[in-house]
């Protein structure tokens, strides 16, 4: 398995963010804003406005995610940040917070075509955990899908799978009311306070 380099999605790497999140210049590309922006803002922003919104996020600290590189080539993205910064997560009825711990949340993965099934998502999740830890996060969470015995639609896999999170040391906490491809999503959590 190749070793991927992981870097925060800082302003100087915005071109690489764009390469992964909107490679075809789609005006309606998500840009990993669905959980971050208020619904009205998400609906209103299009094309260059979404790009500029993400550019501003990349200029802030913490950055809105981490990037994976194979050599000099950007091959993947993981959106991560404090749950309090994720507007849709703070108001979610299907994935409500379970306590008042200021958790960081992993919200999505994007791995470029041609680089899938090579360990990029694992490297991204490890990088997201390291980035959250470096910013003093007490815990980091995800809401991955449980594919059961079957496979899931690739568009539904952007939230990760419970196997991916379990391999990184996350523990199952509870099943949520959220679904991806009609399959349950679980809250999984990794405690960063014990130095693990």
């Amino acid at each position: 398995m190749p070793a991927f380099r992981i870097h925060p999605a800082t302003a100087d790497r915005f071109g690489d963010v764009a390469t992964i999140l909107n490679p075809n210049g789609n005006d309606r590309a998500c840009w990993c804003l669905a959980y971050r922006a208020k619904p009205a803002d998400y609906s209103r922003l299009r094309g260059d406005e979404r790009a500029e919104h993400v550019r501003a996020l990349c200029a802030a600290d913490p950055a809105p995610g981490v990037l994976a590189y194979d050599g000099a080539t950007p091959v993947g993205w993981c959106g991560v940040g404090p749950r309090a910064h994720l507007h849709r997560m703070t108001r979610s009825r299907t994935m409500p917070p379970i306590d008042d711990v200021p958790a960081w949340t992993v919200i999505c993965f994007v791995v470029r075509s041609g680089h899938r099934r090579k360990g990029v998502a694992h490297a991204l999740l490890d990088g997201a955990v390291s980035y959250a830890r470096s910013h003093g996060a007490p815990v980091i969470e995800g809401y991955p899908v449980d594919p059961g015995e079957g496979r899931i639609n690739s568009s539904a896999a952007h939230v990760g799978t419970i196997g991916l999170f379990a391999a990184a040391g996350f523990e199952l906490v509870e099943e949520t009311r959220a679904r991806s491809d009609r399959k349950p999503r679980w809250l999984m959590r990794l405690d960063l306070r014990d130095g693990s």
Side-chain angles (χ1 to χ4, degrees):
M1 184 181 310
F4 300 102
R5 293 180 303 112
I6 306 296
H7 293 283
T10 50
D12 59 321
R13 296 183 184 275
F14 177 75
D16 295 338
V17 172
T19 294
I20 295 170
L21 295 184
N22 194 14
N24 301 318
N26 182 341
D27 275 354
R28 294 187 178 266
C30 175
W31 280 97
C32 201
L33 290 175
Y35 286 100
R36 294 179 191 283
K38 294 178 180 177
D41 292 339
Y42 183 74
S43 296
R44 177 183 51 79
L45 295 171
R46 289 285 182 261
D48 290 342
E49 292 176 311
R50 283 192 183 181
E52 290 309 310
H53 191 82
V54 173
R55 185 188 300 273
L57 291 172
C58 290
D61 187 32
V66 295
L67 296 161
Y69 291 83
D70 184 358
T73 304
V75 295
W77 157 271
C78 177
V80 63
R83 183 182 175 106
H85 294 183
L86 306 172
H87 188 272
R88 188 168 155 200
M89 295 301 296
T90 63
R91 302 185 182 288
S92 178
R93 288 185 225 162
T94 59
M95 298 178 289
I98 59 167
D99 54 33
D100 293 331
V101 176
W104 276 47
T105 304
V106 174
I107 54 176
C108 74
F109 296 88
V110 178
V111 177
R112 292 176 71 187
S113 180
H115 300 277
R116 296 176 187 143
R117 299 188 176 276
K118 295 180 180 178
V120 177
H122 289 275
L124 284 164
L125 185 53
D126 289 345
V129 169
S130 294
Y131 191 59
R133 182 181 281 121
S134 75
H135 278 74
V139 298
I140 185 168
E141 307 174 328
Y143 292 86
V145 63
D146 180 359
E149 297 299 316
R151 293 184 55 103
I152 56 172
N153 182 303
S154 61
S155 65
H158 74 280
V159 296
T161 64
I162 60 171
L164 170 67
F165 279 79
F170 286 68
E171 296 181 357
L172 287 168
V173 176
E174 65 182 23
E175 186 176 331
T176 71
R177 294 195 322 260
R179 298 289 179 266
S180 279
D181 201 19
R182 294 185 295 255
K183 298 188 184 297
R185 289 177 63 183
W186 283 75
L187 165 58
M188 295 185 73
R189 184 179 262 197
L190 179 63
D191 195 321
L192 303 178
R193 292 169 288 196
D194 62 3
S196 59

